[in-house]
Amino acid sequence: LNKLNKLKNTRSTMDMDIETKLRKEVSVELATPLTDIINASFREQKWPQLYKHEKVTPVPKVPKPEILKELRKISCTSDYNKLLEGFLKDIILIDIGHKIDPSQYGGKKGVGTEHMLVALVDRILKLLDSHPSKSAVILAGVDWANAFARGDPTKTIEKFISMGLRPSVVPLLADYFCNRKMTVRYNSGHSSVIDLIGGFPEGSLVGQDAYITASNDCADSTEEDD
C-alpha cells in the first residue's frame, strides 16, 4: 500500500492502468490483489507477461531528426510493473549498491549529470594546478550508441551474480528480460506489437540497474583519479 501510494502521478500508459486520481481513491482495495501478484512473482520466479509490454515514445536527440539514431526510445510500462520493479530494485541496492562505482552518476538517487560535470571540471583544474607549465588538458570521450537497446541480458545477469546479487532473485531478474514486447507510440498512432530480442527497457527502474551493472567495470583499467 505504501509503495502504491508513492507512485508518481502519470498519465495512463497501458490498458490495464487506472487513472491516477482513481488509483489513489481505490489504493486500499488494489493493495491486496497486487500483493498477491507480487508475492507470486517472487515465489514462482516469473515476471507477469502483461508487465513486460513496453509502449515506446521516440524522443528527438536533435531539433530535426532525420535518421533513427537521432531518436531516443523512452519505454513506458504499466504502473503495476513499476510497483513490482520497485521491490526488486530495493533488493538489488541492498545486495550490490555498495559495489557500484561512485563515479556512476546515472540512475542513482541523489546524483545526476551535474555531479559528473563538477567532477570533470575539478579533475581538469587539478591537472592544470599540478602542472603550472602546461596550458591545456587533453580529454577523450566514449559514447555507447544505443546502449540500452543493445544491452546483452545474459552478460548482464552474469555481472549481477558476480557483484553478489542473492541467488533467490536471479531467476526472476532473468525472466524480466525474456519475451519482452514493444509498441511504438507516436502522436495518436500506435504500431503493431514487436518482439524484442534483447536490451533493457530505457526509463525503467530495473533497466537502469541493468545498465549500471553492465557498465560498472568499464573504467577498471584506468587510474582511479581519471
Side-chain angles (χ1 to χ4, degrees):
L1 178 61
N2 290 333
K3 288 270 192 185
L4 190 60
N5 287 331
K6 289 179 181 178
L7 280 178
K8 293 181 180 179
N9 294 344
T10 58
R11 294 179 182 177
S12 181
T13 55
M14 306 297 288
D15 293 339
M16 73 182 79
D17 288 334
I18 299 175
E19 194 272 334
T20 299
K21 184 177 180 181
L22 178 59
R23 187 188 71 216
K24 289 182 177 181
E25 290 180 1
V26 299
S27 60
V28 173
E29 289 78 10
L30 274 176
T32 297
L34 286 173
T35 298
D36 290 341
I37 292 171
I38 291 169
N39 283 339
S41 297
F42 277 95
R43 183 174 60 250
E44 299 172 14
Q45 303 292 344
K46 293 290 185 182
W47 205 272
Q49 188 60 45
L50 283 174
Y51 292 3
K52 293 194 279 188
H53 188 172
E54 308 167 23
K55 275 192 178 177
V56 171
T57 301
V59 177
K61 297 180 182 179
V62 297
K64 294 181 179 180
E66 296 181 354
I67 54 179
L68 280 177
K69 70 178 184 179
E70 293 176 344
L71 296 170
R72 176 180 289 107
K73 81 176 184 70
I74 300 300
S75 301
C76 294
T77 57
S78 167
D79 291 337
Y80 311 133
N81 175 72
K82 297 182 182 75
L83 200 66
L84 179 50
E85 283 195 68
F87 284 103
L88 182 56
K89 183 180 179 70
D90 289 345
I91 293 173
I92 291 172
L93 291 179
I94 291 171
D95 290 353
I96 69 172
H98 61 289
K99 294 184 179 179
I100 294 175
D101 192 314
S103 294
Q104 290 265 25
Y105 296 111
K108 294 197 299 183
K109 189 175 182 179
V111 296
T113 52
E114 62 272 20
H115 294 89
M116 185 278 292
L117 292 173
V118 170
L120 177 62
V121 172
D122 179 68
R123 179 65 176 144
I124 292 172
L125 294 177
K126 283 180 178 177
L127 287 169
L128 292 173
D129 290 343
S130 61
H131 300 84
S133 62
K134 308 293 184 181
S135 59
V137 172
I138 296 175
L139 173 70
V142 179
D143 177 40
W144 284 15
N146 295 317
F148 278 84
R150 293 176 175 172
D152 185 326
T154 301
K155 291 184 180 297
T156 303
I157 290 292
E158 292 173 354
K159 290 281 187 74
F160 273 109
I161 294 172
S162 66
M163 289 178 67
L165 182 64
R166 66 190 71 178
S168 61
V169 297
V170 169
L172 178 62
L173 181 61
D175 193 68
Y176 170 85
F177 293 120
C178 294
N179 301 316
R180 301 197 67 86
K181 298 182 182 297
M182 178 181 81
T183 302
V184 178
R185 175 178 57 190
Y186 186 72
N187 292 333
S188 59
H190 292 77
S191 74
S192 58
V193 178
I194 302 163
D195 291 324
L196 297 174
I197 59 172
F200 318 132
E202 189 165 354
S204 68
L205 296 175
V206 176
Q208 289 177 345
D209 287 341
Y211 175 81
I212 290 173
T213 303
S215 62
N216 196 59
D217 58 358
C218 286
D220 284 359
S221 59
T222 64
E223 295 292 333
E224 186 171 348
D225 287 342
D226 292 328

